[in-house]
Amino acid sequence: MALFIRDEAVDSLAVELQKALKTTTKKDAVRVALENELERVKRQRTRAAGITELQEKIAALGPSDPDFNMKRFTDEMWGDI
């Protein structure tokens, strides 16, 4: 399926990108730009999604020990430093 750019501003951007990337055609420049933008969007995650993923990993480790004393643990770990 063809992609037609009828907007002069978009066409100018495509020409500018073609020159910057040194591609042989505007089509190649637009393809590279679209691939790069799609990859950027895929890498971008919302903070909530990241937190949810971490919570699921923590839950998979099993229940926590309600009697665990973090202060005592870190004091023992660090000793007299």
Side-chain angles (χ1 to χ4, degrees), residues 32-81:
V32 169
L34 291 172
E35 288 172 347
N36 289 340
E37 183 63 11
L38 186 57
E39 184 61 33
R40 185 189 70 79
V41 169
K42 285 179 180 179
R43 282 193 317 261
Q44 200 173 36
R45 296 184 334 178
T46 65
R47 190 172 284 156
I51 290 170
T52 300
E53 182 180 323
L54 288 174
Q55 288 172 331
E56 290 170 356
K57 288 180 179 180
I58 290 168
L61 294 174
S64 61
D65 181 0
D67 298 324
F68 181 73
N69 184 326
M70 179 58 84
K71 171 120 175 60
R72 185 174 65 220
F73 174 77
T74 53
D75 286 349
E76 290 171 4
M77 181 177 64
W78 287 100
D80 290 333
I81 296 179

